[in-house]
PDB file of all heavy atoms in Angstrom:
ATOM      1  N   GLU G1381       5.830 -10.662  10.147  1.00 96.00           N
ATOM      2  CA  GLU G1381       4.853 -10.283   9.129  1.00 96.00           C
ATOM      3  C   GLU G1381       3.420 -10.248   9.668  1.00 96.00           C
ATOM      4  O   GLU G1381       2.657  -9.325   9.370  1.00 96.00           O
ATOM      5  CB  GLU G1381       4.917 -11.274   7.958  1.00 96.00           C
ATOM      6  CG  GLU G1381       6.233 -11.247   7.199  1.00 96.00           C
ATOM      7  CD  GLU G1381       6.369 -12.437   6.265  1.00 96.00           C
ATOM      8  OE1 GLU G1381       5.357 -13.153   6.043  1.00 96.00           O
ATOM      9  OE2 GLU G1381       7.475 -12.667   5.745  1.00 96.00           O
ATOM     10  N   LEU G1382       3.052 -11.257  10.445  1.00 96.00           N
ATOM     11  CA  LEU G1382       1.656 -11.431  10.857  1.00 96.00           C
ATOM     12  C   LEU G1382       1.379 -11.046  12.296  1.00 96.00           C
ATOM     13  O   LEU G1382       0.228 -10.821  12.664  1.00 96.00           O
ATOM     14  CB  LEU G1382       1.238 -12.901  10.665  1.00 96.00           C
ATOM     15  CG  LEU G1382       1.449 -13.513   9.276  1.00 96.00           C
ATOM     16  CD1 LEU G1382       1.078 -14.991   9.302  1.00 96.00           C
ATOM     17  CD2 LEU G1382       0.656 -12.762   8.230  1.00 96.00           C
ATOM     18  N   GLY G1383       2.438 -11.005  13.094  1.00 95.00           N
ATOM     19  CA  GLY G1383       2.260 -10.864  14.539  1.00 95.00           C
ATOM     20  C   GLY G1383       2.355 -12.233  15.191  1.00 95.00           C
ATOM     21  O   GLY G1383       1.983 -13.244  14.590  1.00 95.00           O
ATOM     22  N   LEU G1384       2.843 -12.272  16.411  1.00 95.00           N
ATOM     23  CA  LEU G1384       3.045 -13.551  17.088  1.00 95.00           C
ATOM     24  C   LEU G1384       1.726 -14.291  17.297  1.00 95.00           C
ATOM     25  O   LEU G1384       1.644 -15.510  17.098  1.00 95.00           O
ATOM     26  CB  LEU G1384       3.743 -13.321  18.430  1.00 95.00           C
ATOM     27  CG  LEU G1384       4.094 -14.574  19.230  1.00 95.00           C
ATOM     28  CD1 LEU G1384       5.093 -15.441  18.476  1.00 95.00           C
ATOM     29  CD2 LEU G1384       4.650 -14.197  20.602  1.00 95.00           C
ATOM     30  N   ALA G1385       0.671 -13.564  17.682  1.00 95.00           N
ATOM     31  CA  ALA G1385      -0.611 -14.216  17.971  1.00 95.00           C
ATOM     32  C   ALA G1385      -1.196 -14.901  16.741  1.00 95.00           C
ATOM     33  O   ALA G1385      -1.852 -15.946  16.850  1.00 95.00           O
ATOM     34  CB  ALA G1385      -1.601 -13.189  18.523  1.00 95.00           C
ATOM     35  N   GLU G1386      -0.966 -14.322  15.567  1.00 96.00           N
ATOM     36  CA  GLU G1386      -1.545 -14.869  14.340  1.00 96.00           C
ATOM     37  C   GLU G1386      -0.662 -15.942  13.702  1.00 96.00           C
ATOM     38  O   GLU G1386      -1.072 -16.593  12.736  1.00 96.00           O
ATOM     39  CB  GLU G1386      -1.778 -13.741  13.325  1.00 96.00           C
ATOM     40  CG  GLU G1386      -2.718 -12.656  13.806  1.00 96.00           C
ATOM     41  CD  GLU G1386      -4.085 -13.206  14.168  1.00 96.00           C
ATOM     42  OE1 GLU G1386      -4.580 -14.089  13.439  1.00 96.00           O
ATOM     43  OE2 GLU G1386      -4.659 -12.764  15.178  1.00 96.00           O
ATOM     44  N   THR G1387       0.525 -16.122  14.204  1.00 97.00           N
ATOM     45  CA  THR G1387       1.445 -17.123  13.655  1.00 97.00           C
ATOM     46  C   THR G1387       1.131 -18.485  14.260  1.00 97.00           C
ATOM     47  O   THR G1387       1.000 -18.618  15.479  1.00 97.00           O
ATOM     48  CB  THR G1387       2.905 -16.738  13.966  1.00 97.00           C
ATOM     49  OG1 THR G1387       3.190 -15.486  13.332  1.00 97.00           O
ATOM     50  CG2 THR G1387       3.873 -17.784  13.449  1.00 97.00           C
ATOM     51  N   THR G1388       1.003 -19.500  13.419  1.00 97.00           N
ATOM     52  CA  THR G1388       0.680 -20.846  13.889  1.00 97.00           C
ATOM     53  C   THR G1388       1.817 -21.809  13.584  1.00 97.00           C
ATOM     54  O   THR G1388       2.649 -21.563  12.696  1.00 97.00           O
ATOM     55  CB  THR G1388      -0.601 -21.366  13.212  1.00 97.00           C
ATOM     56  OG1 THR G1388      -0.348 -21.504  11.798  1.00 97.00           O
ATOM     57  CG2 THR G1388      -1.768 -20.418  13.434  1.00 97.00           C
ATOM     58  N   VAL G1389       1.820 -22.910  14.319  1.00 98.00           N
ATOM     59  CA  VAL G1389       2.810 -23.960  14.059  1.00 98.00           C
ATOM     60  C   VAL G1389       2.639 -24.505  12.649  1.00 98.00           C
ATOM     61  O   VAL G1389       3.629 -24.787  11.954  1.00 98.00           O
ATOM     62  CB  VAL G1389       2.667 -25.088  15.102  1.00 98.00           C
ATOM     63  CG1 VAL G1389       3.486 -26.317  14.691  1.00 98.00           C
ATOM     64  CG2 VAL G1389       3.098 -24.594  16.475  1.00 98.00           C
ATOM     65  N   GLU G1390       1.393 -24.624  12.199  1.00 98.00           N
ATOM     66  CA  GLU G1390       1.132 -25.140  10.855  1.00 98.00           C
ATOM     67  C   GLU G1390       1.725 -24.218   9.786  1.00 98.00           C
ATOM     68  O   GLU G1390       2.331 -24.692   8.815  1.00 98.00           O
ATOM     69  CB  GLU G1390      -0.377 -25.287  10.633  1.00 98.00           C
ATOM     70  CG  GLU G1390      -1.022 -26.390  11.456  1.00 98.00           C
ATOM     71  CD  GLU G1390      -1.186 -26.048  12.918  1.00 98.00           C
ATOM     72  OE1 GLU G1390      -1.128 -24.840  13.265  1.00 98.00           O
ATOM     73  OE2 GLU G1390      -1.359 -26.985  13.731  1.00 98.00           O
ATOM     74  N   ALA G1391       1.575 -22.907   9.974  1.00 98.00           N
ATOM     75  CA  ALA G1391       2.124 -21.958   9.005  1.00 98.00           C
ATOM     76  C   ALA G1391       3.648 -21.976   9.014  1.00 98.00           C
ATOM     77  O   ALA G1391       4.294 -21.912   7.953  1.00 98.00           O
ATOM     78  CB  ALA G1391       1.607 -20.555   9.307  1.00 98.00           C
ATOM     79  N   ILE G1392       4.223 -22.064  10.209  1.00 98.00           N
ATOM     80  CA  ILE G1392       5.689 -22.140  10.310  1.00 98.00           C
ATOM     81  C   ILE G1392       6.197 -23.394   9.612  1.00 98.00           C
ATOM     82  O   ILE G1392       7.160 -23.347   8.836  1.00 98.00           O
ATOM     83  CB  ILE G1392       6.131 -22.134  11.787  1.00 98.00           C
ATOM     84  CG1 ILE G1392       5.772 -20.813  12.446  1.00 98.00           C
ATOM     85  CG2 ILE G1392       7.640 -22.391  11.896  1.00 98.00           C
ATOM     86  CD1 ILE G1392       5.949 -20.817  13.960  1.00 98.00           C
ATOM     87  N   SER G1393       5.549 -24.516   9.866  1.00 98.00           N
ATOM     88  CA  SER G1393       5.966 -25.783   9.270  1.00 98.00           C
ATOM     89  C   SER G1393       5.880 -25.732   7.752  1.00 98.00           C
ATOM     90  O   SER G1393       6.782 -26.210   7.048  1.00 98.00           O
ATOM     91  CB  SER G1393       5.100 -26.927   9.810  1.00 98.00           C
ATOM     92  OG  SER G1393       5.194 -27.012  11.222  1.00 98.00           O
ATOM     93  N   ALA G1394       4.796 -25.134   7.243  1.00 98.00           N
ATOM     94  CA  ALA G1394       4.627 -25.045   5.796  1.00 98.00           C
ATOM     95  C   ALA G1394       5.723 -24.199   5.169  1.00 98.00           C
ATOM     96  O   ALA G1394       6.296 -24.567   4.133  1.00 98.00           O
ATOM     97  CB  ALA G1394       3.256 -24.463   5.467  1.00 98.00           C
ATOM     98  N   ARG G1395       6.036 -23.064   5.787  1.00 97.00           N
ATOM     99  CA  ARG G1395       7.074 -22.204   5.210  1.00 97.00           C
ATOM    100  C   ARG G1395       8.446 -22.858   5.306  1.00 97.00           C
ATOM    101  O   ARG G1395       9.282 -22.689   4.415  1.00 97.00           O
ATOM    102  CB  ARG G1395       7.092 -20.841   5.890  1.00 97.00           C
ATOM    103  CG  ARG G1395       8.137 -19.911   5.291  1.00 97.00           C
ATOM    104  CD  ARG G1395       8.020 -18.484   5.729  1.00 97.00           C
ATOM    105  NE  ARG G1395       6.814 -17.829   5.214  1.00 97.00           N
ATOM    106  CZ  ARG G1395       6.650 -16.492   5.196  1.00 97.00           C
ATOM    107  NH1 ARG G1395       7.612 -15.691   5.643  1.00 97.00           N
ATOM    108  NH2 ARG G1395       5.535 -15.971   4.743  1.00 97.00           N
ATOM    109  N   ALA G1396       8.695 -23.588   6.372  1.00 97.00           N
ATOM    110  CA  ALA G1396       9.990 -24.260   6.540  1.00 97.00           C
ATOM    111  C   ALA G1396      10.076 -25.568   5.755  1.00 97.00           C
ATOM    112  O   ALA G1396      11.123 -26.213   5.742  1.00 97.00           O
ATOM    113  CB  ALA G1396      10.255 -24.527   8.018  1.00 97.00           C
ATOM    114  N   ASP G1397       8.936 -25.968   5.144  1.00 97.00           N
ATOM    115  CA  ASP G1397       8.852 -27.209   4.353  1.00 97.00           C
ATOM    116  C   ASP G1397       9.146 -28.433   5.213  1.00 97.00           C
ATOM    117  O   ASP G1397       9.906 -29.320   4.826  1.00 97.00           O
ATOM    118  CB  ASP G1397       9.817 -27.147   3.158  1.00 97.00           C
ATOM    119  CG  ASP G1397       9.498 -28.219   2.114  1.00 97.00           C
ATOM    120  OD1 ASP G1397       8.334 -28.658   2.053  1.00 97.00           O
ATOM    121  OD2 ASP G1397      10.417 -28.614   1.369  1.00 97.00           O
ATOM    122  N   VAL G1398       8.512 -28.456   6.404  1.00 97.00           N
ATOM    123  CA  VAL G1398       8.598 -29.625   7.282  1.00 97.00           C
ATOM    124  C   VAL G1398       7.188 -29.960   7.762  1.00 97.00           C
ATOM    125  O   VAL G1398       6.262 -29.157   7.616  1.00 97.00           O
ATOM    126  CB  VAL G1398       9.516 -29.371   8.503  1.00 97.00           C
ATOM    127  CG1 VAL G1398      10.931 -29.039   8.070  1.00 97.00           C
ATOM    128  CG2 VAL G1398       8.944 -28.261   9.389  1.00 97.00           C
ATOM    129  N   THR G1399       7.021 -31.124   8.331  1.00 97.00           N
ATOM    130  CA  THR G1399       5.725 -31.484   8.906  1.00 97.00           C
ATOM    131  C   THR G1399       5.608 -30.897  10.308  1.00 97.00           C
ATOM    132  O   THR G1399       6.614 -30.549  10.941  1.00 97.00           O
ATOM    133  CB  THR G1399       5.568 -33.009   8.986  1.00 97.00           C
ATOM    134  OG1 THR G1399       6.545 -33.517   9.922  1.00 97.00           O
ATOM    135  CG2 THR G1399       5.771 -33.668   7.617  1.00 97.00           C
ATOM    136  N   SER G1400       4.373 -30.823  10.795  1.00 96.00           N
ATOM    137  CA  SER G1400       4.170 -30.357  12.171  1.00 96.00           C
ATOM    138  C   SER G1400       4.848 -31.297  13.166  1.00 96.00           C
ATOM    139  O   SER G1400       5.360 -30.866  14.206  1.00 96.00           O
ATOM    140  CB  SER G1400       2.677 -30.249  12.485  1.00 96.00           C
ATOM    141  OG  SER G1400       2.069 -29.251  11.699  1.00 96.00           O
ATOM    142  N   ARG G1401       4.870 -32.576  12.833  1.00 96.00           N
ATOM    143  CA  ARG G1401       5.546 -33.541  13.715  1.00 96.00           C
ATOM    144  C   ARG G1401       7.032 -33.219  13.803  1.00 96.00           C
ATOM    145  O   ARG G1401       7.620 -33.253  14.899  1.00 96.00           O
ATOM    146  CB  ARG G1401       5.347 -34.960  13.180  1.00 96.00           C
ATOM    147  CG  ARG G1401       6.027 -36.023  14.030  1.00 96.00           C
ATOM    148  CD  ARG G1401       5.739 -37.417  13.486  1.00 96.00           C
ATOM    149  NE  ARG G1401       6.415 -38.441  14.271  1.00 96.00           N
ATOM    150  CZ  ARG G1401       6.349 -39.739  14.025  1.00 96.00           C
ATOM    151  NH1 ARG G1401       5.605 -40.182  13.015  1.00 96.00           N
ATOM    152  NH2 ARG G1401       6.988 -40.597  14.795  1.00 96.00           N
ATOM    153  N   THR G1402       7.645 -32.898  12.658  1.00 97.00           N
ATOM    154  CA  THR G1402       9.061 -32.517  12.677  1.00 97.00           C
ATOM    155  C   THR G1402       9.258 -31.250  13.487  1.00 97.00           C
ATOM    156  O   THR G1402      10.218 -31.133  14.257  1.00 97.00           O
ATOM    157  CB  THR G1402       9.591 -32.310  11.246  1.00 97.00           C
ATOM    158  OG1 THR G1402       9.515 -33.548  10.538  1.00 97.00           O
ATOM    159  CG2 THR G1402      11.033 -31.822  11.248  1.00 97.00           C
ATOM    160  N   PHE G1403       8.345 -30.291  13.326  1.00 98.00           N
ATOM    161  CA  PHE G1403       8.436 -29.058  14.116  1.00 98.00           C
ATOM    162  C   PHE G1403       8.542 -29.387  15.597  1.00 98.00           C
ATOM    163  O   PHE G1403       9.428 -28.876  16.302  1.00 98.00           O
ATOM    164  CB  PHE G1403       7.219 -28.175  13.858  1.00 98.00           C
ATOM    165  CG  PHE G1403       7.184 -26.944  14.726  1.00 98.00           C
ATOM    166  CD1 PHE G1403       7.686 -25.745  14.261  1.00 98.00           C
ATOM    167  CD2 PHE G1403       6.673 -26.991  16.026  1.00 98.00           C
ATOM    168  CE1 PHE G1403       7.679 -24.607  15.064  1.00 98.00           C
ATOM    169  CE2 PHE G1403       6.666 -25.864  16.834  1.00 98.00           C
ATOM    170  CZ  PHE G1403       7.171 -24.674  16.356  1.00 98.00           C
ATOM    171  N   PHE G1404       7.630 -30.246  16.079  1.00 97.00           N
ATOM    172  CA  PHE G1404       7.615 -30.533  17.513  1.00 97.00           C
ATOM    173  C   PHE G1404       8.772 -31.430  17.952  1.00 97.00           C
ATOM    174  O   PHE G1404       9.049 -31.529  19.152  1.00 97.00           O
ATOM    175  CB  PHE G1404       6.270 -31.140  17.909  1.00 97.00           C
ATOM    176  CG  PHE G1404       5.160 -30.132  17.964  1.00 97.00           C
ATOM    177  CD1 PHE G1404       4.113 -30.178  17.059  1.00 97.00           C
ATOM    178  CD2 PHE G1404       5.189 -29.119  18.912  1.00 97.00           C
ATOM    179  CE1 PHE G1404       3.089 -29.237  17.108  1.00 97.00           C
ATOM    180  CE2 PHE G1404       4.165 -28.169  18.970  1.00 97.00           C
ATOM    181  CZ  PHE G1404       3.117 -28.231  18.057  1.00 97.00           C
TER     182      PHE G1404
END
């Protein structure tokens, strides 16, 4: 949707309903 460069870990975590710590 946004492009890889504009995609952030924070946005991914929010959409997946997890914390950034869980992401990593």
Side-chain angles (χ1 to χ4, degrees):
E1381 295 167 12
L1382 306 176
L1384 183 63
E1386 300 302 320
T1387 298
T1388 65
V1389 169
E1390 291 75 18
I1392 295 170
S1393 301
R1395 181 169 292 197
D1397 196 25
V1398 300
T1399 65
S1400 295
R1401 180 177 178 180
T1402 297
F1403 175 95
F1404 285 113

